[in-house]
Structure formats: C-alpha cells, structure tokens
Amino acid sequence: MRSYLEALARGDRATASTYLASGSASETFMSGEAQIESIRSTPQSNSNYLVTADVKSGGVEYYATFTVAPGPGGLQITDHYYIKPQ
C-alpha cells in the first residue's frame, strides 16, 4: 500500500497502476504534498488482507480501505475506496 500511495503522490500513475489487479490509478487528490499518516493491515480468512490508510493531502484527511489478494506477481489491490470526512 505504501508503494502504491507513494507512486500516486509522485504523480506516477503508471507505476501505481501496476499494484492494481485491474483498472488504473485515478486518485486525483494525491499530490506531492500528500502525507501517509498511518497504514494498518488485517489478515482475512481467505489469504486476503484488509488494509486501511489515513492520508492527508492538500490539508484534507482521507481514509482509504483496500482489499489485497495474492496475484501472479505478488500481492495486488483488488478493491479500494476512499472517504473524506465532512
């Protein structure tokens, strides 16, 4: 997750997309000033992981949730979403 988020913060969407099982990276709020406040990983019963991250970008805090699963080249992000608290 950290590598994915750091690639997004650098503006390197091509590298970030390599961590996704499908689709492309499209998080537009990530910028060079983004800071990863915390990342937590919880193993799931099916060899997947639930990963949560707290990210600040542009003075706004975002909470991210990722599902990570084994793929052909290692762990891949199979699902993710962000919420921005009001």
Side-chain angles (χ1 to χ4, degrees), residues 2 4-13 16 26-36 55-62 82:
R2 185 171 300 277
Y4 175 74
L5 294 170
E6 288 173 346
L8 287 173
R10 290 193 306 273
D12 187 354
R13 300 207 181 286
S26 61
E27 292 82 357
T28 58
F29 65 87
M30 291 295 289
S31 65
E33 64 186 34
Q35 296 178 333
I36 302 167
V55 178
K56 288 187 180 176
S57 184
V60 179
E61 192 165 19
Y62 296 86
Y82 296 85

Side-chain angles (χ1 to χ4, degrees), residues 19-63:
Y19 295 101
L20 300 174
S22 63
S24 60
S26 61
E27 292 82 357
T28 58
F29 65 87
M30 291 295 289
S31 65
E33 64 186 34
Q35 296 178 333
I36 302 167
E37 298 292 315
S38 67
I39 297 177
R40 291 167 299 284
S41 176
T42 306
Q44 304 295 292
S45 61
N46 55 0
S47 298
N48 293 351
Y49 292 87
L50 180 66
V51 180
T52 57
D54 181 2
V55 178
K56 288 187 180 176
S57 184
V60 179
E61 192 165 19
Y62 296 86
Y63 298 107

